[in-house]
Amino acid sequence: MASKRNRFRLSLISLCAALSAVVLSIGGLAPAASAAETPIPAPDGMSAVTAAASCWEVKQQNPTTPSGKYWLVTPELGAPEQFYCDQTTAGGGWVLIGRGREDWSDSTEGRGTPADVSGTVSGTAAFSPRQLSTKVITGLANGRSISSLGKNIMLRRATNTSGTSWQDSTFSFSSPRNEWAWAFNNEQRVASWTIGSISGTGGHTSSFGSGTGLNRIETFADASHGNWLNGFGFGSSTGGSTASSSYLWAPSSTAGYARPFTQVFLRPQFRSSDIFAAISDSGTPKREIAPVAESFALPTVWGVAGLGAGPSTKEGSNEVSAFAEGNGLVYVGGNFTRVQRTSSGTGQVAQAYLAAFNAQTGEWVSTFRPTFDNQVKSLAVLPDGRVAAGGYFATVNGRSSPGFVVLNPATGATDTSFTTGVVNTLSGGVPAVRSLDVQGSWLYLGGEFTHLASGSTQLYARSAGRVSVSTGAPASWNPEFNGTVVSLDASSRGDRVYYAGYFTSSRGTSAAKGAAITTDTASVVPWTINFANATANYQQAVKEVGNRVWIGGAQHMLFSYDRANMAELSTNITKSGGDFQAISSDGTTVYGGCHCFHTVYVGARTWSNVGTAWTQAAKINSLGGWDSTTGAYTAQFSPTLSQRNGAGAWALFNDSTGVTWAGGDFTASVRSGWVRQWAGGFVRFARNDTTAPTAPFSLTASAGSTGVTLNWAGSSDNRGSVTYEVLRNDRVVAATMNRSVTLPSALSTTKYFVRATDLSGNRSASTAAVTAGSGTAEPPPPAVGSTLVATASTWSYHFNATAPPSTWNTTGFDSSGWSTGAAPLGWGQSQLGTTLTAADPKPLTSYHRKSFTIADVSTLGSVALTTRADDGIIVYVNGVEVLRRNLDPGPVTAGTYANTAVSASAAVTNPVTVTVPGSSFVSGMNIIAAEVHSNYRATSSHSFELSAVTQ
């Protein structure tokens, strides 16, 4: 889980060291007399406490200021950092955001910290690219659209191999570009440009300018353009040298499009007075980053390797094609022949087509050893833990099992009691199961078959069918597609199953490449898919997430539709690259896998001409993320991956711990610190930390001869250490890991605040304001951090067909007749304290109560209640509702359905927190009560957990 945190820590450590030096040096020079009445100096960028809002402001403050490193801070940036400013070119005020020669990163993560970029800005030691992340650049622009900066983007490029001649180029965008993106090799439209002494308009960022020489900017990268290495190249007639010391690099002496050493600058033009506003005396609110997988991969522990007997005629016969989780394991299926730890084969063991790995550690599990004769394409874990596998195999564990088998989850032995098989009676047809999913008591199968067989009985089920999860008995339920099913998703609501593939009809009703089929009558739900191209003859992935249905495939499309009426909601087209092949979700983000490696055009809906109506052109490399509610592309997730044959991601999965698994033909990934590592067919990405530290408290300020000294009580964080940001009036002026700092003297009315930030960039709420003039402290919230209700506590619960009395959530209700059990309570989770059971049909709602005592409520601040929504929940404190999630407003009953279906993993990895004021509690006994509602009766998961901690 250290990917983003490690690089954030490097930046903070360097910042804290620099700030400490500044504070000590300035504090030591402060005069003894009238220390508390020294006015705050104007922002000049010379120190952290006088950081400017932009390089441009530094230049306006002092027109004679030279180029060099200066301290900058904006509200969006958060804390002051040092950046290199060019103060001479075209009036100065330019901030350096990247520099290097060839092989620039096009990830939004950039490549390096602010210290890396500003530390070495020129010379041969600067040839290896160092680039600020989109997050930092967004901070420098204070969240403003990059397009709004106008012609304030500048490239300074060397024009000869010795680096003695240079050229400055400026340009602006005419297409939308809200955030900075290092992906230039695409169709972002250029408005106006000046390259050297030549000016013009138009072109795309991949290629614009004049002629074929130095007056051109070429960022396109392929075999003939920079040997696939990104850079800000010249035209085809400009060559370079392969020498490591050359300022113009080319892969050969005859190649054009030379990649020059380049510096990239922005010029946000605003002053501190433009962007900072007074902070309320109550302080700043907490700020938490958006939930999504981290861009940097987890360290590779084990992987798979080798190509098996999978049919080369079948697209997607790659190392990894399927994932499923159960029994604490993640099962990985595909076309591999062995498992190993490293690219050189460390620990290599022959284990073909299906292997198991510990879900927590990634370690290979050597006790699970099934044998297959061909590739596995699909996996599902049944409710009792058994593993169903589908693919192109004919035998499993020495037994005939064409296309489908059910295995013992611990050993991989064939479960002979599950006698279902698939049959393909088409001429030359090979039975194969391409997709599997469990919904309630049914296992749904899709692929290349005509019948489901059980013993001597065969039921017609063309390309799709379902069988009992317990006995394997086929059902007479047959969508009867006229072509292969590649992907299916059984809705968590229980009423539909979605399909994608090569078919055009279902039981004679039009269903072109995608279909929604009812689970009761196998009828087609009307759904018109607007394909990206008239030649699109298949779709390869489909997934319902919340109120949207996502479908992807040819040509390069990933679209979403409204579940209620199947109307189109969002569109995405990728170039260059290929089709979407896999979809998964962790509940908040939808992940799409593809063999696309350059750009996703958000809002485009046709291929190959994406037109001009798209709203965002962002980097994508084998997989990307989209907000599951809005459909917006999440450029924050920007992994760097390499593939054996450019197949990209063919399997995606989000496990119960929140980790995203991506499988395909992956050979390398980049982990924290921009370290390249081997990837054996699959890559894992941790869920980012989205929980802010607790707020500091008991802040005091006192003026003395050396300045103003602040002291405070510390914060805690869920994943590690914190850094404290000290705010003076309206901005951060210091950062420290200590709980005390001395700032330069200021007026006695100056206000001070302190907040905490963690290694991922989440910020706590700040303290309330204090002044050195009053010398008073913010009152400490007594008993901060003490636990009123712990996780895994014992709760009273009611779970049966009869609803409890209406007073069930009040302090006066007698729940002694209820059952008791340790949390989490429910079913469908891998880690439960108590399993809830009831006669079918299961009740929609479970009820929970817990009492606890507060000795003196006058000492109580606020209380944070943290729970989960699986699927809907209402929480009460002493009979008063304090939290509602996924349930419509108004009265509820035991028969009220949650309005959203939430998967088990999504509920666990997306906790719900509410802050309840101390006034909601009383001295003596208190009651926290909760009711949990399912979205449908056959839901695969329903659970409850809650903790209460004082703040």
Side-chain angles (χ1 to χ4, degrees):
M1 298 275 186
S3 61
K4 289 187 180 178
R5 300 198 300 275
N6 282 351
R7 69 180 188 284
F8 192 73
R9 179 193 293 272
L10 291 173
S11 179
L12 284 175
I13 290 173
S14 61
L15 171 61
C16 291
L19 286 172
S20 298
V22 170
V23 168
L24 288 174
S25 63
I26 295 178
L29 295 175
S34 303
E37 297 303 321
T38 303
I40 294 173
D44 59 7
M46 300 304 293
S47 68
V49 292
T50 60
S54 63
C55 292
W56 183 82
E57 182 178 33
V58 174
K59 183 68 174 180
Q60 303 311 301
Q61 281 288 112
N62 182 4
T64 63
T65 186
S67 298
K69 289 198 290 186
Y70 293 90
W71 290 89
L72 304 179
V73 66
T74 69
E76 185 71 23
L77 194 60
E81 297 254 23
Q82 279 189 302
F83 299 90
Y84 181 84
C85 297
D86 175 349
Q87 304 292 37
T88 60
T89 303
W94 300 90
V95 59
L96 181 69
I97 62 172
R99 50 79 178 160
R101 196 177 62 175
E102 80 284 355
D103 197 23
W104 288 65
S105 169
D106 50 13
S107 167
T108 58
E109 297 294 341
R111 184 179 289 163
T113 65
D116 293 329
V117 174
S118 64
T120 304
V121 301
S122 62
T124 57
F127 282 4
S128 181
R130 293 293 180 266
Q131 307 157 242
L132 299 180
S133 69
T134 292
K135 179 180 179 181
V136 173
I137 297 171
T138 299
L140 289 168
N142 198 38
R144 296 184 182 180
S145 163
I146 297 300
S147 298
S148 71
L149 297 180
K151 206 171 176 179
N152 284 311
I153 304 162
M154 180 173 70
L155 306 181
R156 175 168 296 133
R157 300 186 293 175
T159 57
N160 61 10
T161 57
S162 62
T164 58
S165 176
W166 298 84
Q167 175 201 76
D168 294 332
S169 304
T170 57
F171 62 95
S172 60
F173 294 103
S174 63
S175 56
R177 191 165 188 167
N178 292 326
E179 289 186 325
W180 178 263
W182 286 109
F184 279 79
N185 179 13
N186 50 38
E187 296 180 27
Q188 294 177 92
R189 299 181 296 280
V190 177
S192 62
W193 48 264
T194 298
I195 303 176
S197 60
I198 305 295
S199 295
T201 59
H204 292 152
T205 54
S206 60
S207 176
F208 65 98
S210 176
T212 62
L214 297 176
N215 293 321
R216 241 191 131 70
I217 295 174
E218 294 277 352
T219 65
F220 187 74
D222 63 7
S224 60
H225 293 71
N227 196 28
W228 300 100
L229 298 178
N230 293 323
F232 296 92
F234 292 115
S236 59
S237 63
T238 300
S241 167
T242 59
S244 61
S245 61
S246 174
Y247 279 76
L248 292 183
W249 177 86
S252 71
S253 59
T254 59
Y257 304 104
R259 290 345 195 189
F261 173 75
T262 305
Q263 296 170 324
V264 182
F265 294 88
L266 284 185
R267 185 163 59 178
Q269 293 177 284
F270 40 67
R271 300 176 186 268
S272 298
S273 58
D274 299 331
I275 60 175
F276 284 99
I279 297 172
S280 166
D281 286 354
S282 61
T284 61
K286 71 178 179 180
R287 183 172 180 178
E288 295 172 325
I289 62 178
V292 68
E294 295 186 345
S295 298
F296 291 101
L298 286 168
T300 299
V301 180
W302 279 84
V304 302
L307 284 176
S312 60
T313 56
K314 298 292 183 183
E315 187 179 31
S317 292
N318 304 304
E319 286 83 339
V320 174
S321 297
F323 297 108
E325 180 184 14
N327 316 295
L329 308 177
V330 171
Y331 300 93
V332 178
N335 190 36
F336 57 87
T337 60
R338 58 188 185 270
V339 295
Q340 59 193 54
R341 286 187 176 274
T342 66
S343 60
S344 61
T346 303
Q348 186 177 110
V349 178
Q351 178 59 45
Y353 306 117
L354 181 61
F357 301 85
N358 185 286
Q360 298 282 343
T361 66
E363 290 286 342
W364 174 58
V365 178
S366 60
T367 54
F368 182 78
R369 301 299 297 275
T371 60
F372 288 78
D373 68 337
N374 211 317
Q375 70 172 320
V376 170
K377 293 294 292 181
S378 56
L379 293 168
V381 174
L382 304 183
D384 62 4
R386 291 177 295 174
V387 179
Y392 286 97
F393 47 83
T395 63
V396 181
N397 298 321
R399 299 170 59 94
S400 175
S401 304
F404 178 74
V405 71
V406 173
L407 305 173
N408 179 288
T411 65
T414 300
D415 185 338
T416 56
S417 68
F418 205 103
T419 58
T420 300
V422 293
V423 177
N424 193 337
T425 60
L426 297 177
S427 177
V430 174
V433 173
R434 299 285 299 271
S435 190
L436 294 163
D437 200 11
V438 173
Q439 182 194 79
S441 58
W442 298 109
L443 172 65
Y444 288 85
L445 301 84
E448 302 173 33
F449 52 85
T450 57
H451 295 75
L452 296 176
S454 182
S456 60
T457 302
Q458 291 188 5
L459 287 179
Y460 182 52
R462 175 72 185 274
S463 300
R466 68 185 184 190
V467 300
S468 166
V469 296
S470 56
T471 66
S476 55
W477 180 89
N478 178 21
E480 192 181 347
F481 291 110
N482 66 341
T484 299
V485 167
V486 178
S487 174
L488 72 88
D489 178 54
S491 169
S492 59
R493 303 190 191 191
D495 60 341
R496 295 179 185 172
V497 185
Y498 301 95
Y499 294 89
Y502 290 84
F503 51 83
T504 58
S505 68
S506 170
R507 294 167 60 182
T509 301
S510 176
K513 289 84 172 182
I517 305 295
T518 62
T519 55
D520 51 1
T521 62
S523 300
V524 174
V525 176
W527 181 12
T528 300
I529 301 173
N530 298 309
F531 294 108
N533 187 290
T535 64
N537 61 355
Y538 59 88
Q539 293 290 279
Q540 299 200 109
V542 66
K543 181 80 173 175
E544 178 190 279
V545 182
N547 294 320
R548 288 177 183 248
V549 180
W550 297 75
I551 190 164
Q555 247 70 28
H556 306 204
M557 61 175 280
L558 178 67
F559 291 7
S560 74
Y561 293 81
D562 188 331
R563 187 193 197 277
N565 56 20
M566 302 309 287
E568 184 180 281
L569 293 178
S570 67
T571 61
N572 301 269
I573 301 291
T574 60
K575 289 178 68 176
S576 295
D579 307 333
F580 279 88
Q581 301 143 177
I583 305 172
S584 73
S585 179
D586 58 12
T588 61
T589 302
V590 172
Y591 299 92
C594 53
H595 55 276
C596 48
F597 311 105
H598 292 92
T599 306
V600 56
Y601 295 91
V602 180
R605 55 179 334 281
T606 58
W607 182 89
S608 59
N609 183 359
V610 296
T612 60
W614 48 267
T615 58
Q616 183 183 8
K619 173 64 179 176
I620 190 168
N621 183 346
S622 296
L623 61 154
W626 287 260
D627 185 285
S628 62
T629 301
T630 67
Y633 186 67
T634 307
Q636 178 183 339
F637 176 57
S638 185
T640 300
L641 301 162
S642 298
Q643 306 80 25
R644 171 183 53 79
N645 195 39
W650 280 82
L652 290 173
F653 171 68
N654 302 97
D655 71 21
S656 60
T657 69
V659 172
T660 298
W661 299 59
D665 65 338
F666 297 119
T667 57
S669 64
V670 173
R671 67 172 189 260
S672 177
W674 296 273
V675 177
R676 184 178 175 86
Q677 65 177 356
W678 173 71
F682 65 90
V683 184
R684 300 180 301 143
F685 300 91
R687 182 67 175 267
N688 65 351
D689 177 13
T690 61
T691 302
T694 61
F697 59 97
S698 295
L699 174 63
T700 62
S702 58
S705 60
T706 58
V708 177
T709 299
L710 306 175
N711 292 279
W712 59 89
S715 302
S716 61
D717 186 60
N718 62 327
R719 293 193 186 179
S721 60
V722 301
T723 296
Y724 298 101
E725 295 180 343
V726 180
L727 297 92
R728 186 176 65 185
N729 283 341
D730 59 359
R731 71 200 64 188
V732 176
V733 294
T736 178
M737 292 182 179
N738 299 317
R739 297 180 186 176
S740 177
V741 71
T742 298
L743 298 176
S745 300
L747 298 175
S748 59
T749 56
T750 302
K751 297 176 182 180
Y752 300 92
F753 312 80
V754 176
R755 67 191 181 199
T757 182
D758 64 18
L759 299 176
S760 295
N762 298 295
R763 286 184 165 87
S764 75
S766 77
T767 63
V770 301
T771 66
S774 64
T776 58
E778 177 202 26
V784 166
S786 63
T787 300
L788 301 178
V789 178
T791 57
S793 291
T794 297
W795 291 72
S796 299
Y797 68 90
H798 175 90
F799 185 59
N800 59 48
T802 304
S806 60
T807 58
W808 70 273
N809 57 6
T810 65
T811 55
F813 179 74
D814 180 9
S815 61
S816 60
W818 286 19
S819 302
T820 59
L825 304 97
W827 69 86
Q829 296 280 351
S830 59
Q831 296 178 338
L832 288 173
T834 303
T835 300
L836 300 182
T837 59
D840 287 332
K842 288 180 180 175
L844 275 178
T845 308
S846 63
Y847 299 87
H848 311 268
R849 283 173 52 96
K850 184 165 186 62
S851 64
F852 57 95
T853 300
I854 297 175
D856 182 3
V857 76
S858 67
T859 67
L860 186 69
S862 59
V863 177
L865 305 184
T866 301
T867 184
R868 63 178 67 163
D870 185 13
D871 298 313
I873 187 170
I874 302 177
V875 179
Y876 307 87
V877 171
N878 295 329
V880 177
E881 180 179 325
V882 296
L883 170 69
R884 182 181 293 227
R885 185 62 58 90
N886 298 342
L887 284 159
D888 293 334
V892 296
T893 68
T896 300
Y897 289 85
N899 58 30
T900 299
V902 181
S903 68
S905 61
V908 172
T909 56
N910 295 279
V912 181
T913 298
V914 63
T915 298
V916 181
S919 58
S920 298
F921 300 87
V922 298
S923 297
M925 188 186 74
N926 292 262
I927 292 289
I928 293 179
E931 54 185 291
V932 179
H933 296 246
S934 292
N935 178 256
Y936 61 99
R937 290 192 182 275
T939 181
S940 59
S941 72
H942 175 114
S943 65
F944 169 73
E945 172 67 287
L946 183 144
S947 66
V949 179
T950 58
Q951 291 185 315

